[in-house]
């Protein structure tokens, strides 16, 4: 098989990606699992269509719901036998959220995560790193304050905008 043929996914795999683009995250129903970066790979293993999923946060209670939603959507599309494969390494990072996904979060009223700070070979810093300001998703003011480390889910922190006085959630970069 040539390199070109290997890169070209089968019609079944392409159809599966199209279906997966429509499966929304159960906790943030404006972003697809693909744009969230949870769907890592779709591959054929003999007759089985395998969907590789990396949950956003280990122990995220939505993981089972996500696997179920993926199976249900693909079964409805009659793409043959389906299996989901949980892949926990490498760990999911907010850097995997697509630009389209980050825009959807902002429109939904959740401040999207910025890039994950590079740790590199720097010595471990035990003092609190100064976080860049989180802009308000409604009025874009950077005059905001964090009012709680956790929002509706552990993945999000609760903020308040000091300009428009609206509370909002921030998807924390990890
Ligand atoms: Zn605001």
């Amino acid at each position: 098989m040539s390199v070109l043929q290997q890169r070209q996914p089968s019609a079944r795999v392409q159809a599966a990606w199209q279906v997966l683009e429509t499966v929304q995250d159960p906790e943030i129903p404006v972003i697809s699992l693909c744009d969230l970066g949870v769907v890592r790979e779709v591959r054929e293993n003999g007759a089985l269509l395998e969907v590789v999923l990396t949950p956003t946060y280990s122990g995220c209670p939505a993981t089972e719901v996500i696997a179920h939603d993926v199976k249900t959507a693909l079964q409805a599309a009659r793409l043959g036998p389906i299996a989901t494969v949980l892949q926990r390494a490498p760990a999911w990072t907010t850097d995997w959220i697509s630009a389209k996904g980050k825009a959807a979060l902002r429109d939904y009223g959740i401040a999207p995560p910025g890039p994950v700070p590079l740790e590199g070979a720097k010595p471990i810093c035990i003092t609190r790193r100064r976080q860049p300001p989180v802009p308000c998703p409604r009025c874009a003011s950077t005059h905001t304050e964090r009012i709680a480390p956790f929002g509706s889910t552990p993945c999000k922190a609760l903020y308040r905008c000091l300009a428009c006085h609206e509370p909002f959630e921030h998807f924390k970069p990890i």
Side-chain angles (χ1 to χ4, degrees), residues 5 13 18 23 27 32 37 41 45 48 51-52 60 77 93 107 112 122-123 130 143 150 152 154 160:
Q5 281 171 321
V13 167
Q18 279 183 2
V23 181
E27 288 178 347
S32 80
E41 192 186 350
N45 184 356
L48 199 61
V51 181
V52 180
C60 191
T93 160
D107 291 346
K122 280 182 293 184
R130 215 181 124 74
H143 199 38
F150 299 107
S152 59
R160 176 169 50 205

Side-chain angles (χ1 to χ4, degrees), residues 54-90:
T54 297
T56 50
Y57 294 80
S58 56
C60 191
T63 305
E64 278 179 34
V65 179
I66 287 171
H68 175 263
D69 288 354
V70 162
K71 269 192 174 174
T72 305
L74 291 173
Q75 278 163 354
R78 299 178 183 280
L79 290 172
I82 314 289
T84 54
V85 179
L86 280 190
Q87 179 176 284
R88 295 189 186 274

Side-chain angles (χ1 to χ4, degrees), residues 136 138-141 161 163-166:
C136 169
R138 291 185 179 81
C139 72
S141 168
C161 176
C164 71
H165 304 289
E166 286 291 329

Side-chain angles (χ1 to χ4, degrees), residues 27-142:
E27 288 178 347
I28 315 165
V30 294
I31 184 168
S32 80
L33 294 174
C34 298
D35 284 318
L36 195 57
V38 165
V39 179
R40 302 311 303 158
E41 192 186 350
V42 180
R43 63 192 178 207
E44 286 179 297
N45 184 356
L48 199 61
L49 190 68
E50 290 183 337
V51 181
V52 180
L53 303 170
T54 297
T56 50
Y57 294 80
S58 56
C60 191
T63 305
E64 278 179 34
V65 179
I66 287 171
H68 175 263
D69 288 354
V70 162
K71 269 192 174 174
T72 305
L74 291 173
Q75 278 163 354
R78 299 178 183 280
L79 290 172
I82 314 289
T84 54
V85 179
L86 280 190
Q87 179 176 284
R88 295 189 186 274
W92 181 85
T93 160
T94 43
D95 285 348
W96 291 353
I97 302 178
S98 69
K100 186 179 150 212
K102 285 180 181 171
L105 287 178
R106 200 176 295 114
D107 291 346
Y108 188 54
I110 297 174
V116 177
L118 288 174
E119 295 299 332
K122 280 182 293 184
I124 295 165
C125 182
I126 49 169
T127 53
R128 183 178 260 274
R129 200 188 298 116
R130 215 181 124 74
Q131 301 284 343
V134 176
C136 169
R138 291 185 179 81
C139 72
S141 168
T142 52

